[in-house]
Amino acid sequence: MRGKDILDDLAFMVEATDSYRVGRNIDFKKVENVMERLSPELPDLFDSATKKKYKKTVDFITSLPFRDKSMRRLALFYMLFRLLLRFSLVGFLLSIGLIFYAPPYSTPMLIASTSLLYAALVGRWYTLMKLLEFYEREMKNQPGKDEFLKEIAQKLIDELSSKIRERGVKPGKYKLHLFKDDYSGVRILKRPGWLRDYNLAEVEIGGILNNP
């Protein structure tokens, strides 16, 4: 495996494992493929027993909202608001452009897209908070599963830090999108905001950060 490939795969697995801790549904087929590529490089981390436990844990966590009717509906609304946010942003940008090329049409479009943008932002924020509260509550009843995923993510972070240091790569080239901030060896660069529901982070190298 080439150096760049393993760094990309390690960063992806850190983000995927972290996402599963809060119920984010990352395509598990892709995760499996990456684990298979990493297995020869990390035989102690991704042995057959660990991969089997990983899949079983992920299946349980991602299915939690669909066992509860209200949470299933909330999860669908969250995806809808995310989609609306993208459309409203496009509409907002188009309306700004129309100010210069078609002023009569720009005002109503700007009002509509701005209203939709605010509604999508509020709706996404509200549904996300409710889903995170749900997962936090449910995962307290499953401490072993969360601890298992956290342990895997931490080992991957440590491995990513080690490989970056070995190759002399700047950690800023492999920024991580993390929903949890309870890992060691990472520096949080930006906290979640209205347009970003994750922490932007990078790994620390030997306790000293090599910023780009």
Side-chain angles (χ1 to χ4, degrees):
M1 182 181 290
R2 292 175 297 166
K4 186 178 182 298
D5 292 338
I6 190 172
L7 292 177
D8 288 335
D9 283 347
L10 285 169
F12 170 80
M13 281 302 301
V14 170
E15 292 183 342
T17 305
D18 173 79
S19 295
Y20 286 136
R21 292 183 64 194
V22 294
R24 296 307 179 96
N25 189 16
I26 308 299
D27 183 3
F28 192 73
K29 184 63 179 177
K30 184 176 181 180
V31 173
E32 276 189 314
N33 291 337
V34 174
M35 280 197 292
E36 290 302 319
R37 290 201 300 269
L38 287 174
S39 292
E41 299 283 336
L42 306 172
D44 294 333
L45 178 56
F46 289 124
D47 56 75
S48 58
T50 301
K51 287 187 288 189
K52 184 177 180 180
K53 183 177 180 180
Y54 190 103
K55 183 179 187 304
K56 185 177 180 180
T57 301
V58 167
D59 286 343
F60 176 85
I61 293 175
T62 55
S63 67
L64 279 174
F66 300 98
R67 301 177 184 180
D68 184 295
K69 186 177 180 180
S70 61
M71 285 298 109
R72 181 167 63 247
R73 184 166 55 248
L74 196 67
L76 292 174
F77 273 118
Y78 172 72
M79 290 186 286
L80 175 62
F81 283 125
R82 287 189 66 183
L83 184 62
L84 284 176
L85 182 58
R86 294 178 183 178
F87 279 117
S88 61
L89 281 172
V90 172
F92 180 78
L93 293 175
L94 285 175
S95 64
I96 296 297
L98 286 175
I99 292 176
F100 303 99
Y101 299 102
Y105 302 101
S106 63
T107 300
M109 186 173 180
L110 181 61
I111 293 173
S113 60
T114 302
S115 300
L116 184 60
L117 177 61
Y118 277 116
L121 282 170
V122 173
R124 192 201 65 159
W125 173 81
Y126 176 79
T127 52
L128 175 63
M129 290 302 101
K130 289 299 181 182
L131 285 169
L132 291 178
E133 288 174 5
F134 168 76
Y135 273 106
E136 184 177 2
R137 183 173 63 251
E138 291 297 315
M139 292 305 284
K140 285 181 180 179
N141 300 323
Q142 303 289 336
K145 290 180 173 58
D146 183 63
E147 190 60 34
F148 169 72
L149 290 178
K150 179 183 177 182
E151 181 182 349
I152 295 294
Q154 186 62 63
K155 289 180 178 179
L156 288 163
I157 288 170
D158 295 342
E159 192 65 35
L160 178 60
S161 175
S162 176
K163 296 294 184 185
I164 287 177
R165 185 172 60 251
E166 287 177 8
R167 290 165 172 75
V169 181
K170 293 181 178 179
K173 291 186 177 181
Y174 295 92
K175 288 186 172 63
L176 302 171
H177 306 85
L178 304 175
F179 294 97
K180 293 284 190 176
D181 61 359
D182 54 355
Y183 306 108
S184 62
V186 297
R187 178 192 177 198
I188 303 297
L189 303 174
K190 293 181 180 179
R191 294 289 178 178
W194 278 105
L195 296 177
R196 186 181 61 256
D197 52 8
Y198 53 82
N199 297 290
L200 186 64
E202 64 184 27
V203 298
E204 295 178 337
I205 309 300
I208 300 176
L209 215 59
N210 299 320
N211 288 317

